[in-house]
Amino acid sequence: MKLRVLFGILLIGILTACSSTTQTVISDEVIFYGEGKYWNVSYIYNSGLFEEKKINWVEIETEDFELSQEEIDNIYIEFEGRDGLITGNIGDMESEIEGNSISFLVGTVNFETYEEDEYKITINFKDKHDVIKLQIKR
């Protein structure tokens, strides 16, 4: 009986060790980046800003057109991470516009951010629709 219990504990330990993946926690600043048909997107994760305010910046840049301040009211996003989904209108968010680039703040989509994380952003603006996967930019 003791041998079976010992064997069971050993088997569980081996299976747990084999199934766990090592992930690298981000303790600095990194950029997750992706390109779509109409937009290039950067999610700038800064661990200090996240720890202090639970927010970070997203920058979207158009390829072939400039945007006015009024037009950002017509841009809708869905930003998805491992632990959450943020949806909204960029015009309702704290945002900055410069030429064909818009920066806006997003809240928490992951409770902890790892280098191995991937994000997905969907951008809808008039007839321009993109679904873009973001990965760490090396």
Side-chain angles (χ1 to χ4, degrees):
M1 180 69 171
K2 289 181 182 180
L3 186 58
R4 283 187 181 182
V5 172
L6 184 60
F7 179 73
I9 292 172
L10 181 63
L11 183 61
I12 290 171
I14 291 171
L15 291 175
T16 303
C18 291
S19 67
S20 66
T21 57
T22 304
Q23 293 187 324
T24 309
V25 175
I26 296 173
S27 59
D28 208 0
E29 181 174 290
V30 297
I31 297 173
F32 293 86
Y33 180 78
E35 295 179 357
K37 184 174 181 181
Y38 302 105
W39 308 91
N40 295 330
V41 181
S42 297
Y43 171 54
I44 299 98
Y45 176 81
N46 179 292
S47 62
L49 182 60
F50 176 78
E51 287 300 318
E52 182 182 334
K53 298 184 178 183
K54 300 297 185 216
I55 56 174
N56 275 292
W57 287 97
V58 173
E59 294 178 358
I60 61 174
E61 182 178 22
T62 64
E63 286 294 314
D64 55 354
F65 56 96
E66 285 197 16
L67 297 163
S68 67
Q69 187 66 40
E70 295 77 36
E71 287 179 307
I72 67 170
D73 290 335
N74 297 315
I75 301 173
Y76 296 88
I77 60 119
E78 291 182 1
F79 188 67
E80 187 174 355
R82 175 179 13 84
D83 299 324
L85 173 70
I86 295 171
T87 62
N89 178 298
I90 293 180
D92 295 336
M93 301 175 185
E94 184 174 332
S95 59
E96 299 173 358
I97 186 169
E98 186 175 318
N100 62 344
S101 180
I102 303 168
S103 300
F104 56 96
L105 287 171
V106 294
T108 303
V109 291
N110 285 347
F111 298 118
E112 185 134 34
T113 302
Y114 303 99
E115 289 183 5
E116 296 79 14
D117 283 345
E118 292 183 352
Y119 298 90
K120 181 176 81 171
I121 187 166
T122 302
I123 304 171
N124 291 302
F125 174 67
K126 297 182 180 177
D127 61 342
K128 295 168 175 44
H129 174 81
D130 262 340
V131 178
I132 303 166
K133 184 168 84 170
L134 308 175
Q135 296 177 315
I136 197 163
K137 188 176 183 178
R138 298 199 188 270

